[in-house]
Amino acid sequence: MNTWTFCRYDVVGANERMVCIFSTKLLNICIASFCKAKQLGKAEAIIVDGIRLGVLPDVVTYNTLIAAYCRFIGIDTAYSVVHRMKEAGINPDVVTYNSLIAGASKHCLLSRCLDLFEEMLQKGLRPDVWSYNSLMHCFFKSGQPDEANRVFRDIILSNIDPSTTTFNIMINGLCKNGYTENALMLFRNLQRHRFTPQIDTYNILINGLCKAGRLGAARRLLKELGQSGHIPNAITYTTVMKCCFRSRRFKQGLEIFTEMKEKGYTFDGFAYCTIIGALVKMGRTEEANELMENMVTDGIELDMVSYNTLINMYCKKGNLEAAYNLLDEIEKGGFECDEYTHTILIDGLCKASNIEGAERHLRYMTMMGFDSNLVAFNCWLDGLCKAGEVDYAMKVFKSMELKDSFTYSSLVHNLCKARRFHSAAKLLLSCLRSGVKILRSAQKAVILGLNSSGYSREASRLRSKIRLAKLLHF
């Protein structure tokens, strides 16, 4: 019997007769279930089975499939379903295009978003608030806040009721593009127009203010939130607490942590890990260890974030044996080490000058199927250089398929420390010419190194070439 078949029993006299009822609605429920479970192949197979049995898919069927392809596979595969819809005599609707535009926005494909929006208009479909929300979000992600603001104005002028999500996208986008004051003004303006901000809106703005270094404004908004009838949640408190630690206002951070604890917001260990991580970064490992013990005493169950924080703490203290002992505890707890766990250990081994151990662990990480281990490779590369193995580090660098700004910056810095300024200059130029950004401190280190070594003419030429490379990739 098919998965999506609904059966009922008809009683006729003493005989029981089973009647199978096939419906498109039940087909769609089954398709949605498989899509949610990321089993798109099975979802496709059920559509084929349905057609063969005379149950034809409708626009909801295809929209469900398109949304899943956008989320899990890609926009091109999702768009190919539109052609199948047309062949089946089903016209795409606003929901179809909303899914496609949201999928393109997710990957910051602005031109694709605009093309889909234009295609929707040409088909006589009227965009709704979700169409505009996705387009606005993509403009913000592409670093075009003015265009996003125009979309926001279009929503208002089109007599479309903006949703809470609309305002959240606008406030978040303004904050992330450096317009925190504008975001705050919009927030106040919305309040004057009787819009009641929800906890998510407050959290977005508080996060934006914190990242802009405006701790005072963030704390005032936190106080206002408490007076508005909403209850600040763990995300709200943790955001402000992290900002306190970043601003070196440790006492204020602890006060917020205490307030969180009193109100019962530390149950998942996230706040504990935030403060423990901050203590470790400040070199206050004894206090971090004491807090970790309090966390266990308070009955907070350790998750992978907690374990990674604890492993990082042991590595910072140089207690690698204790860090590795935790791996057994993780396994007993039914957890699996993630790429962050292994990267922390590799970095710890490098800092303990155990370069061979770091290399072995890196090979083990690759063997376990962790493909995205660029950060781990960067740690090992930096460790090799600090151990004086610069030539070997260069060989590793050339063999790396993936490289980022940190890879180049780290190697350039280490070449300068080894007084190999010409090699550093060559690597720096190849990096800039390929359009990869490199830290200014690394650029300055090469120029200063050439000057101090008596190669002032080469330093001047390098400075000119850096300017030219920047102009070409502006």
Side-chain angles (χ1 to χ4, degrees):
M1 189 178 293
N2 290 286
T3 313
W4 46 274
T5 304
F6 174 71
C7 299
R8 80 161 186 259
Y9 287 96
D10 284 356
V11 180
V12 182
N15 298 320
E16 231 179 24
R17 182 163 56 100
M18 189 172 74
V19 180
C20 292
I21 301 170
F22 303 92
S23 75
T24 302
K25 184 178 179 180
L26 288 167
L27 172 68
N28 289 342
I29 291 169
C30 202
I31 295 289
S33 298
F34 278 118
C35 285
K36 191 175 180 181
K38 303 182 186 180
Q39 298 183 23
L40 303 187
K42 288 185 179 179
E44 291 277 17
I46 286 175
I47 292 175
V48 174
D49 285 346
I51 294 169
R52 191 172 63 246
L53 293 168
V55 181
L56 299 179
D58 60 8
V59 67
V60 176
T61 317
Y62 286 112
N63 284 348
T64 304
L65 205 57
I66 286 169
Y69 277 125
C70 282
R71 188 178 176 189
F72 302 122
I73 307 297
I75 185 71
D76 292 328
T77 310
Y79 192 76
S80 68
V81 179
V82 176
H83 298 299
R84 288 162 52 190
M85 289 177 75
K86 292 174 183 175
E87 288 170 3
I90 298 170
N91 292 321
D93 60 10
V94 175
V95 177
T96 313
Y97 280 98
N98 282 353
S99 293
L100 291 166
I101 293 168
S105 176
K106 181 183 175 183
H107 299 287
C108 209
L109 302 171
L110 180 57
S111 60
R112 193 69 179 272
C113 280
L114 293 169
D115 289 343
L116 288 164
F117 198 86
E118 182 62 30
E119 186 179 317
M120 180 168 56
L121 293 172
Q122 287 175 359
K123 290 185 180 295
L125 296 170
R126 188 170 183 264
D128 63 12
V129 68
W130 297 104
S131 318
Y132 285 108
N133 283 351
S134 294
L135 190 59
M136 187 167 66
H137 182 53
C138 195
F139 272 123
F140 274 128
K141 284 180 75 175
S142 303
Q144 298 186 42
D146 291 336
E147 293 298 326
N149 192 45
R150 286 192 186 95
V151 175
F152 181 67
R153 286 208 308 268
D154 286 344
I155 295 173
I156 307 301
L157 295 172
S158 300
N159 292 320
I160 295 171
D161 291 329
S163 63
T164 302
T165 305
T166 310
F167 299 129
N168 287 349
I169 289 170
M170 195 69 189
I171 290 169
N172 187 47
L174 287 168
C175 288
K176 287 190 173 179
N177 282 271
Y179 294 95
T180 313
E181 188 59 36
N182 298 67
L184 192 55
M185 285 168 62
L186 173 63
F187 181 80
R188 297 302 182 204
N189 194 34
L190 291 172
Q191 286 179 312
R192 282 192 288 272
H193 285 81
R194 297 182 180 178
F195 167 75
T196 305
Q198 298 302 306
I199 185 70
D200 288 344
T201 312
Y202 274 102
N203 284 347
I204 288 166
L205 186 54
I206 287 170
N207 184 53
L209 289 166
C210 284
K211 289 194 172 173
R214 298 180 60 179
L215 178 59
R219 293 202 71 178
R220 284 192 294 274
L221 198 62
L222 176 62
K223 186 178 179 181
E224 180 187 315
L225 172 58
Q227 295 169 348
S228 70
H230 291 297
I231 300 172
N233 58 21
I235 296 170
T236 322
Y237 279 112
T238 307
T239 301
V240 181
M241 188 171 68
K242 286 169 76 174
C243 184
C244 289
F245 293 142
R246 278 197 298 267
S247 306
R248 295 282 171 178
R249 297 179 184 179
F250 193 73
K251 187 179 177 181
Q252 290 182 21
L254 277 175
E255 286 172 1
I256 291 171
F257 177 74
T258 303
E259 188 178 337
M260 282 183 73
K261 196 173 179 181
E262 288 171 355
K263 293 186 177 181
Y265 289 127
T266 55
F267 60 90
D268 62 354
F270 186 69
Y272 274 103
C273 290
T274 301
I275 194 168
I276 289 166
L279 285 165
V280 169
K281 282 182 181 178
M282 295 174 73
R284 298 168 68 164
T285 51
E286 293 302 322
E287 290 172 78
N289 191 45
E290 185 181 335
L291 192 60
M292 184 61 81
E293 287 173 2
N294 289 343
M295 180 179 168
V296 177
T297 306
D298 289 347
I300 306 297
E301 289 187 11
L302 298 180
D303 56 11
M304 273 316 300
V305 175
S306 310
Y307 278 116
N308 285 344
T309 304
L310 191 54
I311 288 169
N312 186 44
M313 185 184 75
Y314 283 134
C315 286
K316 293 279 184 184
K317 290 172 71 176
N319 192 350
L320 289 168
E321 186 180 349
Y324 270 94
N325 285 339
L326 275 179
L327 298 183
D328 294 329
E329 193 175 317
I330 289 168
E331 193 174 324
K332 287 175 184 175
F335 296 104
E336 288 185 8
C337 296
D338 54 25
E339 61 186 275
Y340 302 106
T341 317
H342 295 294
T343 301
I344 291 165
L345 287 165
I346 288 166
D347 186 53
L349 287 163
C350 288
K351 284 183 168 59
S353 302
N354 189 351
I355 306 302
E356 289 182 7
E359 185 175 3
R360 282 196 301 273
H361 198 105
L362 190 59
R363 282 201 298 266
Y364 171 76
M365 188 178 176
T366 306
M367 185 182 72
M368 292 298 291
F370 291 99
D371 297 324
S372 55
N373 53 1
L374 177 60
V375 179
F377 260 103
N378 284 345
C379 290
W380 183 45
L381 197 71
D382 188 58
L384 284 169
C385 291
K386 284 182 169 59
E389 300 283 348
V390 180
D391 290 326
Y392 187 32
M394 288 295 288
K395 285 181 182 178
V396 171
F397 172 81
K398 288 173 184 176
S399 69
M400 289 170 67
E401 291 182 11
L402 291 174
K403 302 180 182 78
D404 62 6
S405 175
F406 184 84
T407 318
Y408 285 98
S409 299
S410 173
L411 196 52
V412 167
H413 265 301
N414 281 299
L415 284 168
C416 289
K417 285 177 183 176
R419 303 194 63 78
R420 294 167 66 165
F421 300 115
H422 287 94
S423 296
K426 188 178 177 181
L427 180 61
L428 172 62
L429 283 175
S430 70
C431 174
L432 293 172
R433 284 167 182 164
S434 62
V436 179
K437 291 182 180 179
I438 193 164
L439 293 175
R440 286 187 179 180
S441 57
Q443 298 174 34
K444 287 180 180 178
V446 181
I447 293 167
L448 287 171
L450 288 169
N451 273 321
S452 64
S453 302
Y455 297 102
S456 54
R457 186 176 294 177
E458 284 86 344
S460 181
R461 285 176 190 165
L462 178 63
R463 197 179 285 109
S464 300
K465 288 177 181 178
I466 289 171
R467 288 198 199 99
L468 181 61
K470 285 180 180 177
L471 285 171
L472 290 171
H473 290 94
F474 183 72

